[in-house]
Amino acid sequence: MGVTAKEISAVLAAAELLYDQAQIQLALDDMARRIARDLKGRDPIVLCVMNGGIVVTGHLLMRLDFPLQLDYVHATRYRGQTRGGELRWQKKSTLALEDRVVLIVDDILDEGYTLAGILDCCRAQGAQQVTTAVLVNKHHVRKQPGAHAEYVGLTVDDRYVFGFGMDYKGYLRNLPAIYAVKAA
């Protein structure tokens, strides 16, 4: 049996607010400045990682005032769950990545399995340079080797977080702030 809207409302009501909308907007402004400094004039391809990266990518794109191309990839380990499994590709980029600068944008860097798979795929397609931007980096020691982001907006402790693109069991991506599930 799936989760109910009532259960989701209870999780939200008990959750701890970590970052409000204003704090997130400042973090996005800072990320955009750093990305523009490094990628302006390099004709990058921005790859949004679906589904979580859609909110972050949309907000970030409005802050980047230089020519770029946009596409998306969809590789998932969670499929509506709170624990990840095997990486499954649902869509790879349709743009030719060979000899291009690629910026991968996602909501959160947790353990890095999904990001590592996407990085490997871009490099296998001959991308000249691949960089990553995540709104949230989760602090812990379980990250995959080489799993890091060049552009990070915010940092959270090792807790289950949701909002601003990140979900809780497929819900709450649409929240304008970032919350942590109440510890059991």
Side-chain angles (χ1 to χ4, degrees):
M1 183 171 155
V3 65
T4 66
K6 184 176 180 181
E7 291 169 316
I8 295 299
S9 294
V11 168
L12 178 56
E16 178 186 348
L17 174 66
L18 299 180
Y19 294 104
D20 65 23
Q21 189 171 12
Q23 292 170 305
I24 294 169
Q25 296 304 316
L26 288 173
L28 287 164
D29 289 344
D30 180 61
M31 288 174 66
R33 274 192 297 278
R34 290 182 284 135
I35 290 167
R37 175 197 66 210
D38 296 343
L39 300 184
K40 189 173 191 169
R42 301 206 52 211
D43 189 26
I45 294 174
V46 175
L47 291 181
C48 172
V49 179
M50 298 296 281
N51 284 331
I54 193 168
V55 174
V56 177
T57 303
H59 282 266
L60 200 53
L61 284 176
M62 298 299 115
R63 291 167 163 85
L64 301 177
D65 63 349
F66 55 87
L68 56 83
Q69 286 184 288
L70 174 66
D71 198 3
Y72 73 97
V73 294
H74 194 170
T76 182
R77 294 182 54 237
Y78 290 90
R79 295 181 281 285
Q81 303 301 310
T82 57
R83 299 188 64 82
E86 180 182 327
L87 184 67
R88 183 170 64 188
W89 281 96
Q90 296 185 6
K91 186 207 177 270
K92 294 183 180 180
S93 177
T94 56
L95 296 174
L97 304 184
E98 187 173 355
D99 297 324
R100 296 292 301 273
V101 172
V102 176
L103 172 65
I104 300 166
V105 180
D106 205 356
D107 54 357
I108 187 168
L109 175 55
D110 191 342
E111 293 178 355
Y113 288 99
T114 303
L115 182 60
I118 295 169
L119 286 166
D120 289 346
C121 183
C122 292
R123 290 179 182 131
Q125 292 180 52
Q128 176 189 70
Q129 176 186 353
V130 184
T131 58
T132 56
V134 296
L135 178 60
V136 175
N137 182 37
K138 190 181 283 190
H139 252 309
H140 57 65
V141 296
R142 299 183 312 278
K143 286 199 181 6
Q144 291 300 294
H148 75 283
E150 286 80 8
Y151 309 101
V152 174
L154 303 164
T155 302
V156 296
D157 290 332
D158 192 10
R159 299 174 67 188
Y160 196 94
V161 295
F162 60 88
F164 215 88
M166 297 169 283
D167 75 299
Y168 179 81
K169 297 187 178 182
Y171 289 83
L172 304 174
R173 289 185 192 277
N174 56 308
L175 298 174
I178 297 172
Y179 297 84
V181 172
K182 182 180 178 182

